[in-house]
């Protein structure tokens, strides 16, 4: 079996720890099942058929994607069952893509696809694209009105706007399935005040769901992101929903958590909604390995890893371990690092600051393992990742970015 230091590979190298990957998938699947919610994992995190197959096997409803290109890719993997269901958690406003989706829903490429709307124009474009479609094709398209956040990105800004758009969807002959949105812009952390703000946003989504219930044939879908605040959205959206006439509104809660699959050593480690849900802690699966290129002055080391190799949009990478490289390039046992921090990144260089105790601990040729913050913007820099058990390569997975 290949090792990560095999001559066919070179640094920097992205590895995914298989035991952590499997633990995360199983843990979140179990937590959502216990809470009675469905899961449509956001595959934009990894865009890997092999990883998506693991999520399907764990019980995912379907794949969430962010763009029409990702939708084509995910459905093109041809995975049966959940693999032919997808949720485009975004507005679909390109007539070319709408025409493609109509064809995909008719020829068996897709069994069911949900999309957002947040404007009258968006509704009109979908209605025009599906005008005259066979009933079985039209029934496979689900439309959700998106509730946004003032000052945020997409989404109708008020519950009243959501209700008005839902009426337009219904009148256009499109199949309304519910309401959705993304709670991430509401809070940047997990203080009591920030979690309460997420809860209030969830209450608004529930109110929107109650307002549109009479237009939905079946349970009203309430969908949120759930990567950083899965505990809040699961509990709040799962509360009983009452219609204006006092009757009970049946609901389906669908969360779109994606980054959980690899977790990380930064943002998602800090937010960690899973232990607040009563689940086991997730395990960071990603390591980016890079060699020490230079130790040009006391307290400074330069590694061969930069903005082209690792995420930096939320936090800089975290040095975890160092492994000495032998004369043949084979790496030795790992030693944990302390007193070492990444202070800056160039395109392909990382600046490491070493405190007095750590100075001299890293030599040119050594290999450093880094943890990351925000897996989506690390994985998209690679076309292949190595799934590993220790130093052995269990699988090479393709990342279709």
């Amino acid at each position: 079996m290949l090792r990560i230091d095999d001559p066919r590979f070179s640094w920097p190298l992205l590895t995914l720890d298989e035991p952590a990957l499997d633990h995360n998938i199983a843990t979140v699947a179990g937590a959502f099942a216990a809470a009675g919610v469905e899961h449509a994992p956001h595959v934009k995190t990894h865009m890997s058929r092999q990883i998506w197959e693991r999520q399907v096997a764990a019980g995912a409803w379907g794949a969430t994607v962010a763009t029409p290109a990702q939708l084509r890719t995910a459905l093109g993997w041809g995975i049966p069952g959940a693999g032919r269901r997808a949720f485009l958690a975004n507005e679909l406003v390109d007539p070319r893509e709408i025409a493609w989706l109509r064809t995909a829903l008719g020829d068996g490429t897709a069994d069911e696809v949900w999309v957002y709307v947040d404007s009258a124009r968006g509704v009109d474009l979908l209605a025009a694209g599906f005008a005259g479609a066979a009933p079985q094709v039209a029934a496979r398209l689900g439309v959700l009105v998106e509730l946004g956040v003032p000052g945020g990105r997409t989404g109708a800004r008020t519950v009243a706007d959501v209700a008005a758009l839902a009426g337009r969807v219904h009148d256009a002959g499109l199949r309304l399935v519910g309401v959705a949105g993304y709670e991430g812009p509401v809070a940047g952390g997990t203080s009591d005040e920030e979690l309460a703000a997420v809860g209030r946003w969830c209450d608004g989504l529930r109110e929107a769901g109650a307002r549109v219930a009479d237009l939905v044939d079946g349970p009203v879908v309430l969908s949120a992101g759930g990567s950083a605040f899965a505990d809040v959205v699961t509990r709040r959206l799962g509360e009983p929903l009452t219609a204006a006439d006092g009757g009970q509104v049946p609901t389906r809660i669908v969360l779109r958590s994606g980054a959980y699959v690899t977790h990380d050593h930064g943002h998602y480690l800090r937010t960690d909604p899973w232990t607040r849900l009563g689940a086991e802690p997730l395990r960071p699966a990603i390591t980016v390995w890079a060699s020490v290129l230079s130790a040009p002055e006391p307290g400074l080391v330069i590694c061969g890893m930069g903005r082209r190799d690792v995420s930096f949009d939320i936090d800089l990478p975290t040095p975890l371990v160092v492994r000495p490289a032998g004369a043949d390039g084979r790496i030795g046992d790992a030693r944990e690092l302390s007193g070492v921090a990444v202070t800056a990144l160039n395109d392909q260089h990382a600046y490491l600051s070493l405190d007095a105790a750590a100075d001299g601990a890293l030599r040119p040729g050594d290999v450093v393992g880094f943890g990351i913050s925000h897996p989506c913007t690390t994985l998209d820099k690679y076309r292949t990742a190595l799934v590993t058990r220790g130093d052995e390569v269990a699988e090479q997975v393709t990342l279709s970015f």
Side-chain angles (χ1 to χ4, degrees):
M1 183 174 283
L2 293 177
R3 286 170 45 95
I4 62 172
D5 53 8
D6 186 277
R8 278 167 277 196
F9 308 128
S10 61
W11 320 115
L13 186 72
L14 174 72
T15 63
L16 303 175
D17 180 69
E18 186 172 51
L21 202 65
D22 290 343
H23 167 81
N24 296 344
I25 292 171
T27 297
V28 170
F32 283 165
V37 304
E38 297 176 74
H39 189 196
H42 213 319
V43 300
K44 75 176 175 68
T45 297
H46 53 76
M47 289 303 296
S48 167
R49 175 189 174 127
Q50 294 105 312
I51 296 175
W52 171 225
E53 286 177 323
R54 293 173 186 243
Q55 295 171 301
V56 169
W61 171 83
T64 296
V65 294
T67 67
Q70 291 173 4
L71 180 65
R72 291 186 186 224
T73 297
L75 293 174
W77 289 330
I79 301 169
R84 285 202 287 264
R85 289 193 294 268
F87 188 164
L88 175 59
N90 217 335
E91 280 64 26
L92 185 62
V93 294
D94 186 334
R96 301 170 305 165
E97 300 291 359
I98 294 171
W100 176 87
L101 178 57
R102 176 173 171 167
T103 299
L105 290 169
D107 67 11
T109 298
D111 292 339
E112 186 171 11
V113 175
W114 294 352
V115 301
Y116 282 176
V117 293
D118 73 350
S119 67
R121 172 68 172 161
V123 175
D124 293 346
L125 287 166
L126 281 176
F130 277 80
Q136 65 269 26
V137 174
R140 294 173 184 157
L141 174 70
V143 179
L144 298 98
V145 182
E146 183 187 10
L147 175 66
V149 176
R153 53 191 197 194
T154 55
R157 290 328 198 212
T158 69
V159 170
D161 290 341
V162 170
L165 274 175
R168 193 178 185 103
V169 170
H170 181 267
D171 293 346
L174 298 168
R175 173 180 164 239
L176 181 73
V177 297
V179 296
Y182 175 52
E183 71 285 357
V186 176
T190 57
S191 67
D192 290 345
E193 293 79 8
E194 288 168 308
L195 294 179
V198 174
R200 289 191 294 273
W201 179 87
C202 291
D203 291 342
L205 191 67
R206 292 177 67 253
E207 181 185 351
R211 291 277 295 273
V212 309
D214 60 341
L215 304 177
V216 176
D217 183 13
V220 176
V221 173
L222 305 176
S223 179
S227 286
F229 306 107
D231 56 326
V232 178
V233 295
T234 296
R235 289 169 178 149
R236 292 292 269 270
L237 296 184
E239 293 176 2
L241 192 60
T242 304
D245 62 5
Q248 191 82 7
V249 177
T251 60
R252 291 175 62 187
I253 312 305
V254 180
L255 299 192
R256 309 185 303 272
S257 310
Y260 80 96
V261 71
T262 62
H263 200 46
D264 67 16
H265 284 91
H267 176 67
Y268 290 106
L269 181 64
R270 292 192 299 270
T271 56
D272 181 27
W274 312 106
T275 54
R276 299 196 303 271
L277 261 177
E280 292 184 33
L282 301 188
R283 303 173 190 168
I286 294 179
T287 304
V288 176
W289 301 92
S291 57
V292 175
L293 301 180
S294 177
E297 60 188 67
L300 176 65
V301 161
I302 306 298
C303 281
M305 175 195 74
R307 291 171 180 247
R308 292 175 179 251
D309 311 300
V310 70
S311 57
F312 56 90
D313 53 317
I314 298 179
D315 302 294
L316 293 174
T318 300
L320 302 173
V321 297
V322 59
R323 304 183 66 170
D328 60 356
R330 192 177 180 93
I331 54 176
D333 293 338
R335 185 180 78 251
E336 289 189 10
L337 287 172
S338 61
V340 182
V342 176
T343 59
L345 296 173
N346 293 153
D347 278 0
Q348 314 216 248
H349 294 85
Y351 293 70
L352 276 62
S353 172
L354 286 69
D355 66 18
D359 203 18
L362 301 177
R363 303 179 304 164
D366 288 348
V367 176
V368 177
F370 294 87
I372 59 92
S373 181
H374 195 188
C376 302
T377 50
T378 291
L379 289 162
D380 70 351
K381 294 171 171 50
Y382 294 83
R383 297 299 172 264
T384 303
L386 304 183
V387 177
T388 58
R389 301 188 197 103
D391 288 339
E392 293 185 340
V393 178
E395 184 179 16
Q396 298 185 54
V397 300
T398 300
L399 309 177
S400 301
F401 290 103

